[in-house]
Short mmCIF file of all heavy atoms in Angstrom, two decimals:
data_model
loop_
_atom_site.label_atom_id
_atom_site.label_comp_id
_atom_site.label_asym_id
_atom_site.label_seq_id
_atom_site.Cartn_x
_atom_site.Cartn_y
_atom_site.Cartn_z
N VAL A 233 -13.99 -5.77 1.22
CA VAL A 233 -12.52 -5.70 0.95
C VAL A 233 -11.83 -5.96 2.25
O VAL A 233 -11.86 -5.20 3.19
CB VAL A 233 -12.16 -4.25 0.33
CG1 VAL A 233 -10.67 -4.25 0.08
CG2 VAL A 233 -13.00 -4.00 -0.93
N ILE A 234 -10.98 -6.98 2.22
CA ILE A 234 -10.24 -7.37 3.47
C ILE A 234 -8.77 -7.27 3.10
O ILE A 234 -8.20 -8.01 2.23
CB ILE A 234 -10.55 -8.85 3.83
CG1 ILE A 234 -12.09 -9.01 4.16
CG2 ILE A 234 -9.69 -9.27 4.95
CD1 ILE A 234 -12.54 -10.45 4.38
N LEU A 235 -8.06 -6.35 3.84
CA LEU A 235 -6.61 -6.27 3.64
C LEU A 235 -5.85 -6.97 4.77
O LEU A 235 -5.98 -6.55 5.92
CB LEU A 235 -6.25 -4.74 3.58
CG LEU A 235 -6.94 -3.85 2.70
CD1 LEU A 235 -6.32 -2.49 2.66
CD2 LEU A 235 -6.91 -4.37 1.22
N LEU A 236 -5.16 -8.02 4.39
CA LEU A 236 -4.46 -8.79 5.41
C LEU A 236 -3.03 -8.25 5.63
O LEU A 236 -2.36 -7.86 4.68
CB LEU A 236 -4.36 -10.22 5.01
CG LEU A 236 -5.65 -11.07 4.83
CD1 LEU A 236 -5.34 -12.45 4.31
CD2 LEU A 236 -6.46 -11.04 6.18
N ASP A 237 -2.55 -8.28 6.85
CA ASP A 237 -1.19 -7.94 7.17
C ASP A 237 -0.33 -9.17 7.29
O ASP A 237 -0.51 -9.85 8.19
CB ASP A 237 -1.13 -7.16 8.50
CG ASP A 237 0.20 -6.51 8.68
OD1 ASP A 237 1.22 -7.09 8.35
OD2 ASP A 237 0.29 -5.43 9.32
N THR A 238 0.43 -9.46 6.20
CA THR A 238 1.22 -10.70 6.14
C THR A 238 2.61 -10.39 6.61
O THR A 238 3.60 -11.23 6.24
CB THR A 238 1.14 -11.27 4.68
OG1 THR A 238 1.77 -10.32 3.80
CG2 THR A 238 -0.22 -11.62 4.34
N ARG A 239 2.88 -9.33 7.33
CA ARG A 239 4.21 -8.99 7.87
C ARG A 239 4.36 -8.92 9.34
O ARG A 239 5.33 -9.42 9.93
CB ARG A 239 4.69 -7.71 7.19
CG ARG A 239 4.85 -7.76 5.67
CD ARG A 239 5.90 -8.68 5.22
NE ARG A 239 6.01 -8.88 3.82
CZ ARG A 239 6.91 -9.52 3.20
NH1 ARG A 239 7.77 -10.31 3.86
NH2 ARG A 239 6.86 -9.69 1.85
N TRP A 240 3.46 -8.20 9.94
CA TRP A 240 3.53 -7.89 11.38
C TRP A 240 3.65 -9.10 12.29
O TRP A 240 4.45 -9.26 13.19
CB TRP A 240 2.37 -7.08 11.80
CG TRP A 240 2.49 -6.40 13.19
CD1 TRP A 240 2.32 -7.00 14.42
CD2 TRP A 240 2.91 -5.12 13.52
NE1 TRP A 240 2.53 -6.20 15.45
CE2 TRP A 240 2.95 -5.04 14.88
CE3 TRP A 240 3.26 -4.04 12.65
CZ2 TRP A 240 3.23 -3.77 15.56
CZ3 TRP A 240 3.70 -2.78 13.38
CH2 TRP A 240 3.60 -2.69 14.74
N PHE A 241 2.86 -10.17 11.98
CA PHE A 241 2.75 -11.30 12.85
C PHE A 241 3.46 -12.57 12.31
O PHE A 241 3.48 -13.58 12.97
CB PHE A 241 1.27 -11.69 13.12
CG PHE A 241 0.46 -10.55 13.67
CD1 PHE A 241 -0.25 -9.68 12.77
CD2 PHE A 241 0.34 -10.26 15.01
CE1 PHE A 241 -1.07 -8.66 13.18
CE2 PHE A 241 -0.45 -9.24 15.43
CZ PHE A 241 -1.12 -8.45 14.54
N ARG A 242 3.83 -12.51 11.06
CA ARG A 242 4.25 -13.67 10.36
C ARG A 242 5.52 -14.31 10.91
O ARG A 242 6.51 -13.67 11.36
CB ARG A 242 4.51 -13.36 8.88
CG ARG A 242 4.59 -14.62 7.92
CD ARG A 242 5.31 -14.27 6.64
NE ARG A 242 6.73 -14.39 6.85
CZ ARG A 242 7.63 -13.87 5.99
NH1 ARG A 242 7.26 -13.25 4.92
NH2 ARG A 242 8.98 -14.10 6.24
N GLY A 243 5.53 -15.64 10.97
CA GLY A 243 6.73 -16.42 11.51
C GLY A 243 7.80 -16.40 10.50
O GLY A 243 7.67 -15.89 9.37
N THR A 244 9.02 -16.85 10.86
CA THR A 244 10.18 -16.84 10.05
C THR A 244 10.20 -18.00 9.15
O THR A 244 10.09 -19.16 9.57
CB THR A 244 11.45 -16.78 10.92
OG1 THR A 244 11.38 -15.59 11.80
CG2 THR A 244 12.64 -16.77 10.12
N PHE A 245 10.38 -17.83 7.86
CA PHE A 245 10.49 -18.88 6.86
C PHE A 245 11.78 -19.67 7.02
O PHE A 245 12.74 -19.15 7.50
CB PHE A 245 10.37 -18.36 5.47
CG PHE A 245 9.01 -17.77 5.11
CD1 PHE A 245 8.93 -16.79 4.08
CD2 PHE A 245 7.88 -18.29 5.55
CE1 PHE A 245 7.72 -16.38 3.73
CE2 PHE A 245 6.57 -17.93 5.23
CZ PHE A 245 6.55 -16.92 4.28
#
Side-chain angles (χ1 to χ4, degrees):
V233 179
I234 300 173
L235 306 185
L236 299 177
D237 189 327
T238 60
R239 297 293 174 182
W240 190 280
F241 307 94
R242 201 199 79 195
T244 300
F245 289 153

